[in-house]
Amino acid sequence: QVQLVESGGGLVQVGGSLRLSCTASSRTFSSRKMGWFRQAPGKERELVASITWSGGRIYYADSVKGRFTISGATAKNTVYLQMDGLKPEDTAVYYCAAAAYGSVSYDTWGMGSQVTVSS
């Protein structure tokens, strides 16, 4: 019933920056954790970053550590991904995902936002 909507993707040059946003369609939606995944052509989907609201536990994939920053709103229905120092290997479709309080895994997904890094 609840949908996640991503925005902020686009085409950027190497070394540039983009900021992805993800918001739940319902104001009443509240998640246990939210994260960003990405999938590049010919590659498997990977978790890029996540935030668990209780305790503020944050995870980053090694490939983006130091370059990407995940953050969110206190309503627990919005998450951002600030991407700096972008590299061609960051090119992928980025998906926002959320896990409900009663779920052990991500159960709500966005449609994806294309990020293309060009040299």
Side-chain angles (χ1 to χ4, degrees), residues 60-113:
Y60 293 106
D62 289 340
S63 59
V64 306
K65 196 170 299 182
R67 299 187 297 118
F68 290 11
T69 304
I70 189 171
S71 61
T74 56
K76 305 176 184 178
N77 59 6
T78 300
V79 68
Y80 308 98
L81 186 68
Q82 177 67 43
M83 303 182 292
D84 298 317
L86 284 164
K87 305 175 181 179
E89 51 263 44
D90 294 319
T91 296
V93 177
Y94 284 71
Y95 298 90
C96 177
Y101 284 104
S103 177
V104 298
S105 61
Y106 293 97
D107 49 21
T108 306
W109 294 80
M111 294 295 295
S113 182

Side-chain angles (χ1 to χ4, degrees), residues 1-70:
Q1 55 180 353
V2 176
Q3 302 293 320
L4 300 179
V5 181
E6 304 103 334
S7 63
L11 176 64
V12 66
Q13 291 185 318
V14 171
S17 298
L18 286 173
R19 186 171 188 251
L20 302 180
S21 299
C22 171
T23 302
S25 60
S26 175
R27 292 286 189 180
T28 62
F29 179 80
S30 185
S31 64
R32 175 175 63 84
K33 66 177 180 179
M34 296 184 73
W36 288 96
F37 292 78
R38 69 183 181 187
Q39 186 165 23
K43 305 292 184 180
E44 293 193 340
R45 184 185 64 189
E46 65 172 333
L47 176 63
V48 176
S50 68
I51 180 168
T52 302
W53 301 116
S54 180
R57 185 166 64 257
I58 293 175
Y59 164 85
Y60 293 106
D62 289 340
S63 59
V64 306
K65 196 170 299 182
R67 299 187 297 118
F68 290 11
T69 304
I70 189 171

